[in-house]
Amino acid sequence: MMKVPVLEIFGPTFQGEGAVIGQKTMFVRTAGCDYSCSWCDSAFTWDGSQKENIRMMTSEDIFRSLDGLAAGNYNHVTISGGNPALLKNLEPFVTAAKDRGIALAMETQGTVFQEWMGRVDDVTVSPKPPSSGMETDFDRLDRVLAGLEAGYGAYNLKVVVFDKRDFEYAAYVHMKYPSVPFYLQTGNPYLGENVVNHTEKLLGRYGELVEMTMGDARMNDARVLPQLHTLLWSNKQGV
């Protein structure tokens, strides 16, 4: 039976970012990523620091864990990472979720498309801006968006913004794909535990991003979001 590397399963919680922000959900976080962003808030999924926590799980194993946490108390699951789009073997889990009437969401940076992604209800494609240290391959991003367009679910673009250079990158992405729903999100540079006044710092950055967006006609159709879970729980893992 096909298995996937799962680093953590948790919930019920809520989705803190993207198009389904505020949605009550369970999380299935897979291990592995093809990027190594400088400010990644889940680097433990790819840097080896929590490799001892990775479990190879079938779709049945995953649902046993989900039901063990919240049987009868969820109908939405977020597939997170790392980059879950790397995993062709997630297809049985997606099929099982659809058979159970469970809605799915996921996030990817837009480097790889898998056929099962076309069956996910909400896919957030989040290409990484210059501050990440990564470089976007727009040919690959084009192919991912084309695959999603041919699928059955909704999809959107989201760019995390840390500085003005990132904002210009976000404007370029938005103008390149003007028909795709577009979200801006505040970057979180304050990683680690016990950040002093974390909520206040993040709200200040959110206000700055709102001001930049409101003053730029290129962003008339953009939606500006904070990371709600960091406002509540700072950088705590598993919430």
Side-chain angles (χ1 to χ4, degrees):
M1 300 182 69
M2 291 191 289
K3 296 184 178 182
V4 295
V6 176
L7 202 147
E8 58 180 353
I9 296 173
F10 60 92
T13 182
F14 72 99
Q15 177 56 257
E17 56 191 55
V20 292
I21 191 168
Q23 169 70 53
K24 180 179 175 180
T25 190
M26 303 290 287
F27 270 83
V28 175
R29 188 183 298 281
T30 62
C33 193
D34 48 337
Y35 273 17
S36 54
C37 296
S38 61
W39 38 251
C40 181
D41 60 3
S42 53
F44 58 87
T45 62
W46 51 263
D47 66 6
S49 61
Q50 294 192 23
K51 61 183 179 181
E52 70 280 0
N53 295 330
I54 297 173
R55 294 173 289 166
M56 297 303 298
M57 303 180 74
T58 65
S59 60
E60 290 83 1
D61 295 332
I62 294 171
F63 273 113
R64 272 194 291 271
S65 291
L66 290 167
D67 291 340
L69 290 169
N73 191 28
Y74 73 96
N75 59 13
H76 188 280
V77 174
T78 298
I79 306 168
S80 187
N83 184 9
L86 298 176
L87 302 173
K88 185 176 182 179
N89 285 357
L90 270 168
E91 183 173 359
F93 174 73
V94 172
T95 297
K98 296 291 94 182
D99 289 345
R100 290 174 59 147
I102 292 172
L104 294 173
M106 70 168 288
E107 180 168 332
T108 176
Q109 59 263 48
T111 55
V112 180
F113 179 76
Q114 303 285 357
E115 292 299 322
W116 58 259
M117 291 166 57
R119 300 178 63 201
V120 173
D121 298 272
D122 289 283
V123 179
T124 293
V125 181
S126 184
K128 305 309 177 188
S131 64
S132 70
M134 303 292 104
E135 185 173 347
T136 301
D137 184 331
F138 282 97
D139 289 337
R140 296 177 75 179
L141 180 57
D142 287 344
R143 289 193 290 271
V144 170
L145 295 177
L148 293 171
E149 178 65 24
Y152 301 102
Y155 65 98
N156 66 90
L157 284 160
K158 184 192 76 176
V159 175
V160 178
V161 174
F162 283 79
D163 53 37
K164 290 183 178 179
R165 191 173 171 215
D166 287 356
F167 188 83
E168 287 301 314
Y169 169 88
Y172 175 81
V173 171
H174 186 30
M175 295 299 99
K176 184 174 175 62
Y177 307 103
S179 64
V180 180
F182 186 76
Y183 296 82
L184 293 165
Q185 181 178 295
T186 315
N188 173 21
Y190 314 111
L191 303 181
E193 299 179 1
N194 303 316
V195 179
V196 177
N197 297 323
H198 199 183
T199 296
E200 289 79 6
K201 290 175 179 176
L202 292 175
L203 285 174
R205 294 181 64 84
Y206 180 54
E208 292 171 3
L209 181 56
V210 167
E211 288 297 321
M212 280 196 290
T213 305
M214 297 303 99
D216 195 316
R218 295 172 298 177
M219 295 298 188
N220 286 352
D221 293 323
R223 302 176 187 181
V224 192
L225 300 177
Q227 273 190 318
L228 284 183
H229 56 288
T230 57
L231 296 180
L232 281 176
W233 298 307
S234 189
N235 298 320
K236 185 178 179 182
Q237 184 180 337
V239 292

